[in-house]
Amino acid sequence: MKLLLDSCVWGGALTRLRAAGHDVVWSGEWPADPGDEEILAQALAEGRVLVTLDKDFRELAFVRELPHTGIVTAEAGRLRVRLPTGA
């Protein structure tokens, strides 16, 4: 599975997911934080599901209806998976 981990996701998850055979990019390795809209656009351009702890991505995808490949959010022990419209 192709994933893009937001910088707020623990970097150790990168190693574990790669070891499990996933194609993973972690935005924490980028030289600068480009902002939520650019992170979402990068995930879409590369066909990656975004994994984040940041609730702002739900607003971008579902209120502003920005296109995405999929978003997985985790907060306070809850996991939410959002698929793109039509998936």
Side-chain angles (χ1 to χ4, degrees):
M1 177 176 277
K2 293 179 73 171
L3 303 169
L4 192 160
L5 305 182
D6 193 9
S7 61
C8 60
V9 174
W10 174 58
L14 173 70
T15 304
R16 291 182 181 187
L17 288 165
R18 283 183 177 163
H22 299 289
D23 179 352
V24 186
V25 171
W26 181 45
S27 66
E29 294 179 326
W30 297 350
D33 183 347
D36 292 349
E37 287 187 37
E38 182 56 34
I39 291 171
L40 190 62
Q42 187 69 31
L44 177 65
E46 295 180 11
R48 297 180 183 277
V49 173
L50 176 66
V51 180
T52 185
L53 305 176
D54 186 345
K55 292 185 258 182
D56 293 339
F57 286 100
R58 287 187 295 197
E59 179 179 335
L60 292 176
F62 301 103
V63 175
R64 294 184 46 201
E65 298 182 344
L66 295 181
H68 60 91
T69 311
I71 301 171
V72 175
T73 60
E75 54 188 71
R78 300 173 80 184
L79 179 67
R80 296 177 187 222
V81 177
R82 306 286 183 177
L83 299 175
T85 305

